[in-house]
Amino acid sequence: MGYEVHTASDTDTFKRAYRAHLPGRIILDLQLNGCDGIEFIRYLASEKCASEVILVSGADRRTLTSARRIGEQYGLKMGEVIEKPLTIESLEGSINKKPAAIANFKKADILAALAGEQMTAFFQPQIASHKDGGWSVGGVEALARWNHPQFGLVMPDKFIHCAEESGIIAPLTDYILQKSLHYVKQWEDEGVKLSVAINISGAMLSDLSLPDRIEARVKKAGVSPSQIILEVTESAVMNDINGANDILTRLRLKGFELSLDDFGTGYSSMVQLYRLPFSELKIDRSFVMDMHANKEAHVIVRALIDLAHNLGLEVCAEGVEDKKTFDELINLGCEKMQGYYFSRPVSSENVLPMVKQFNSQRSTRKAGL
Ligand code: C2E
Ligand code: MG
Ligand code: MG
C-alpha cells in the first residue's frame, strides 16, 4: 500500500520507534510482550500522540471496543478495531477508511449555516407494534444534517458538539424543531399523522423558559404536543438532576412525551429514573447492535426492556440493523424500534413514500414472519 513500516514486539523498541518516526498510523496488538495494550494507550496519550491507532486483538470484541473507548477517553484518534486472525483484507479495509477531510467547524460557521438555511432535518422512522402483531411507522426522529456547499452532507457528530460548547445549541434545536413542525403539519394535511422525536441537548436543561418556548412554537404550528417526543440523553439529565426535573415535569404537564435517549450508557440509578417523568426509555444502539454477537449485550437489552415495563415506561430499541434482531426484540416484548433494517434517516420529501410503502406491507410484518 506504499507505507513505510516499522515493527516492534516489546515496549522499549516500540517507544524508540515511535519517537524516531512519529508514524501516521499505529497498529497495536493489545497483548504485547511485557506490556498490555492499555498501558501503551496511556503512554501514547502522555506523548500527545496524533497518529491514528488501530487495535488488534484475539480478545473478545467487547474487550476490544472497551479498549478503543479508553483510547478515545484519553483523546487519541482511534481507528477501527480488528479481531484476530488478522487478515490482509481486514487490515486493508481499516486502513483504507480514511477519515473524511472535514474542517473543524467554528461557531460562526454554524450560525452562518443556520442563517443561510444550509441546516436541515432528516427523518428516521420509528415503527410501533399493534395488538394484532403487525408493525407500522408511527413516527419519526428528526436528525440534524448540514448541507454543506463544500463537504456535502455533514453528520451531526461533526458539529453538535461545537454548537453545545459555543452556546448556540438552543438556536440550532429551535431551527430543527421549526422545520420538523412544518413537515409534521404538512404530512398530517396529506393524511398521515406522525409523531416526531426531537433531540434536546443537556445544555438546554438549565434554561427554565424552555417549556414555554417549545409550547409556543408547537401551538403556533398547529401541532398537538402529544405528537412531539423530546429526547434527552441520560447523561444530560444526570448533570443537574433537580433543574432537569423541573423542566421535564413542566414539559410533561404540557402534554409532551419524554424519552430517555441512549439509555444504558450513563449512570442513572433506578431510583433517579423512577423519579423523573419520562414516558419512554430508548435503549442505546451499542447494545442493540451487539445483541447477537455478544451474550452480555443481549442480557442488558432484556433487562432494560423489563426495567422499563416494570416502571410503566414504553421502550424503544434503536440500532436495529437486521431481521434477526427485530425478531429477537419482538420475543423480548419490545414495542417500538428504529434502525437501518427499517430505513436509514431520509430527507423530508422521502418520508411519506417511505411510510406508505412500509405501512402497506403491514400485514406481512407480523411477529415471527
Ligand atoms: P441519537 O439521538 O441517538 O440518534 C440516533 C443515531 O443513530 C442517528 O445518528 C441515526 O442515524 C443512528 N442510527 C439509527 N439507526 C441505526 C442503525 O440501525 N445502525 C447504526 N449504526 N446507526 C443507526 P446521527 O443522525 O448521526 O445522529 C447522531 C447523534 O447526534 C444523535 O444520536 C443525537 O445525539 C445527535 N443529534 C442529531 N440531531 C440532533 C439535533 O437536532 N440536536 C441535538 N442536540 N443533537 C442531535
Ligand atoms: Mg435521539
Ligand atoms: Mg440514541
Side-chain angles (χ1 to χ4, degrees), residues 19 48 58 63 67 78 89-90 116 147 149 183 185 190 198 201 207 246-247 250 256 258 299 314 317 330 355 366-367:
R19 289 204 173 116
K48 307 232 175 321
T63 310
M78 302 302 292
E89 289 76 27
S90 59
N147 234 328
Y183 291 122
K185 185 79 181 74
E190 290 179 41
I198 305 284
S201 161
D207 173 7
D246 178 311
I247 290 172
R250 278 165 50 229
F256 293 98
L258 293 180
V299 170
E314 297 217 320
I330 292 173
V355 172
K366 297 227 165 149

Side-chain angles (χ1 to χ4, degrees), residues 124 141-145 155-156 160 169 173 176 199-201 231 261-262 285 289 318-321 338-340 345:
Q124 187 178 33
E141 177 175 7
L143 294 157
R145 298 287 183 268
M155 304 301 273
I160 292 288
I169 190 67
T173 304
I176 298 293
N199 290 285
I200 300 290
S201 161
E231 292 193 4
D261 203 356
D262 300 348
R285 60 185 183 275
M289 283 162 62
E318 68 177 12
V320 181
E321 293 196 343
Q338 185 179 341
Y340 293 172

Side-chain angles (χ1 to χ4, degrees), residues 88-155:
I88 294 290
E89 289 76 27
S90 59
L91 194 54
E92 276 181 347
S94 320
I95 289 179
N96 274 332
K97 278 188 196 142
K98 295 207 178 83
I102 281 186
N104 223 344
F105 296 116
K106 305 213 168 51
K107 178 179 178 178
D109 303 324
I110 300 173
L111 287 174
L114 289 172
E117 298 266 318
Q118 287 175 9
M119 286 292 172
T120 173
F122 267 39
F123 299 94
Q124 187 178 33
Q126 298 187 322
I127 63 149
S129 66
H130 298 270
K131 287 205 178 70
D132 66 359
W135 291 78
S136 64
V137 182
V140 289
E141 177 175 7
L143 294 157
R145 298 287 183 268
W146 182 347
N147 234 328
H148 198 283
Q150 189 183 347
F151 302 118
L153 203 64
V154 180
M155 304 301 273

